Amino acid sequence: MNTQRLVLASSLVALNVVLGKVAATLSLPVYLDSIGTILAGALMSWPLAVAVGVCTSAVAGLVIHPAFWYYFVTQAVIATVAVLLLRAGVFNRWWSAVLGGLAIGLCAALVSAPVTAVVFGGVTLSGTTAINAILLASGQSLWKSVLGGSLLIESIDKVSAALIAWFVLRRLPPDLLQTNRRATT
Amino acid sequence: MPAFLSAAAVLLGSAISHGAGSMIWLSVPLCVVLAVWARDSRRMVIAAKWSLPFVLPLLAVHGILNASYPVTQRWGFVPIRQSGIDFGLETGLRIWVFAMAVAFLSSVGAQQLLSYLYGSRWVPKSLVVLIASAVSMFHYLSKRAASMSLAQRSRGLARGPGIRQRVNSLLAVVVPLVAVVIVEARTRGLALGTRGLGTSTLRLDPVAAPRAWDWLCLAAVALCLSPIALPPT
């Protein structure tokens, strides 16, 4: 693998994990650990963007909590959907980035909800647990509660991540982005 | 080698009993015996620290709040659901066993683990380099993010309890952090390239993986897949 690509991919993995930690420090009700994955979709090829997503789970599992390992498929799906949306030009305007974020959130929720329900009994490390508990207390089944909670939190999280990615892609100097695109494709 | 063997044994043992309903109760004494055998009871404390944020909410959510379980008794106005507590305990034990297996795995030093991973024929070498590089970048970026946050606050950016102020604080860190990531990646890539790690495959000194390593990998995969293959009863 090209060294330039490898170093950029590992930097974006670290960015994902650090932003996840920053969001937790600021007590925001979102994870924000997929901004690097979306940026990887903008700067690199699809397999590398997926590798960034999967390695984010691996590194977060090593340095934050082992529970992250179970969500590696979610990160791979986020990377795939982000690449497809970026190729369709969804991240060119803020409102289309919001719609793109919703699409990513929907896919992420569908993939992560079974893991949360089966492996963790509907409990996660974030505020999703509170929403799941409210839905469970209202008489919903575990699966419906977890899916409902995941859809809500993932939508908020991925719309935030997509908007930040759109903002960052707009604010970064174009020559910096172009140089990296040339170096990594 | 003993660390690898004990990690492989714990992973394999918990993988066998992990998914099959009440069999989870067998993993607990197995983990304790292996921890005593490896003379490393500290791992049990680490596992407890990792699993407690799951176990306590599990008991509260399913033992008190989950309306799909019948109320068996009441403590004042708090309903107690015995079958919900059983489900919470069983799931909590699964998580503890998994945390225990990971705690044993972390007893293998990071340097040693990466060297063995690099020498293993099962794991792509570029993936190992990617993860190792990301871990080192994580520590560097954490420090940069903290110093950026401090710098923004010293310039007058308020960090209050409101959601708007928190979002502003986040954006003030995110954009420069992404710029740092891209610039740093280019600098590091160029520096590595000029030192012989150019466009060809990365060449590091491989370390031969011990035989136990393959068993460890297989057991880890089995453990991660077992709760999905055999969901709780």
Side-chain angles (χ1 to χ4, degrees):
Chain A
M1 192 190 281
N2 181 296
T3 308
Q4 189 85 27
R5 276 187 249 173
L6 197 65
V7 174
L8 183 60
S10 64
S11 305
L12 290 171
V13 170
L15 178 75
N16 272 341
V17 183
V18 169
L19 287 180
K21 221 179 155 187
V22 168
T25 310
L26 290 169
S27 306
L28 291 168
V30 286
Y31 314 106
L32 294 180
D33 58 356
S34 50
I35 295 172
T37 313
I38 298 173
L39 289 173
L43 297 169
M44 292 185 278
S45 59
W46 170 73
L48 264 176
V50 171
V52 167
V54 173
C55 289
T56 298
S57 288
V59 174
L62 282 173
V63 299
I64 299 177
H65 196 283
F68 281 93
W69 287 348
Y70 279 106
Y71 292 96
F72 75 95
V73 179
T74 309
Q75 284 282 354
V77 168
I78 290 169
T80 307
V81 178
V83 167
L84 290 174
L85 293 173
L86 279 155
R87 283 183 188 170
V90 168
F91 285 84
N92 293 340
R93 293 175 197 85
W94 72 267
W95 57 268
S96 57
V98 170
L99 292 176
L102 278 174
I104 296 172
L106 177 71
C107 297
L110 289 174
V111 179
S112 62
V115 179
T116 307
V118 173
V119 181
F120 300 110
V123 169
T124 60
L125 288 173
S126 70
T128 317
T129 305
I131 296 162
N132 293 348
I134 292 167
L135 291 171
L136 280 168
S138 70
Q140 299 289 331
S141 69
L142 178 64
W143 282 87
K144 277 185 185 170
S145 307
V146 171
L147 193 61
S150 298
L151 274 173
L152 186 66
I153 292 289
E154 292 282 1
S155 301
I156 297 170
D157 176 49
K158 298 304 176 284
V159 167
S160 314
L163 273 175
I164 291 172
W166 164 80
F167 185 73
V168 164
L169 287 171
R170 217 169 57 107
R171 290 289 290 272
L172 279 178
D175 60 315
L176 202 63
L177 286 171
Q178 286 304 323
T179 312
N180 276 291
R181 279 197 187 117
R182 271 200 303 273
T184 56
T185 49
Chain B
M1 187 64 100
F4 268 99
L5 280 172
S6 56
V10 170
L11 282 165
L12 204 59
S14 52
I16 291 164
S17 57
H18 202 62
S22 57
M23 287 285 280
I24 187 68
W25 294 98
L26 291 177
S27 331
V28 180
L30 180 73
C31 281
V32 175
V33 166
L34 283 164
V36 172
W37 176 61
R39 289 176 192 164
D40 198 355
S41 53
R42 202 164 54 92
R43 302 287 146 197
M44 282 164 64
V45 180
I46 295 171
K49 220 168 86 178
W50 276 338
S51 47
L52 269 180
F54 286 97
V55 176
L56 297 178
L58 268 169
L59 291 175
V61 167
H62 296 290
I64 297 170
L65 295 169
N66 193 345
S68 56
Y69 294 112
V71 178
T72 46
Q73 63 186 87
R74 284 185 181 275
W75 288 350
F77 60 90
V78 181
I80 304 295
R81 303 166 200 273
Q82 191 53 51
S83 39
I85 290 176
D86 292 344
F87 175 81
L89 270 178
E90 194 184 299
T91 312
L93 276 177
R94 263 169 224 286
I95 294 167
W96 182 76
V97 169
F98 173 67
M100 186 78 182
V102 177
F104 262 89
L105 193 62
S106 67
S107 67
V108 183
Q111 196 104 36
Q112 196 190 11
L113 182 68
L114 287 168
S115 300
Y116 286 143
L117 270 172
Y118 195 79
S120 170
R121 59 203 149 119
W122 302 104
V123 189
K125 288 177 178 35
S126 52
L127 199 68
V128 181
V129 176
L130 203 159
I131 290 173
S133 176
V135 171
S136 74
M137 273 296 281
F138 166 76
H139 296 297
Y140 169 73
L141 284 181
S142 295
K143 283 180 192 159
R144 284 300 294 259
S147 60
M148 276 172 194
S149 180
L150 273 175
Q152 301 285 20
R153 278 161 68 187
S154 69
R155 285 184 194 121
L157 189 80
R159 188 182 154 182
I163 192 85
R164 199 174 163 176
Q165 281 169 324
R166 286 190 209 165
V167 170
N168 282 342
S169 306
L170 187 75
L171 280 177
V173 174
V174 169
V175 179
L177 199 63
V178 174
V180 164
V181 162
I182 294 177
V183 171
E184 187 71 21
R186 196 165 54 167
T187 313
R188 281 189 183 212
L190 283 171
L192 285 169
T194 52
R195 282 161 179 79
L197 297 167
T199 50
S200 62
T201 313
L202 282 162
R203 291 184 299 275
L204 300 180
D205 294 333
V207 177
R211 281 185 69 85
W213 175 247
D214 292 343
W215 287 105
L216 190 67
C217 286
L218 278 174
V221 170
L223 178 72
C224 291
L225 293 178
S226 60
I228 297 163
L230 294 160
T233 46

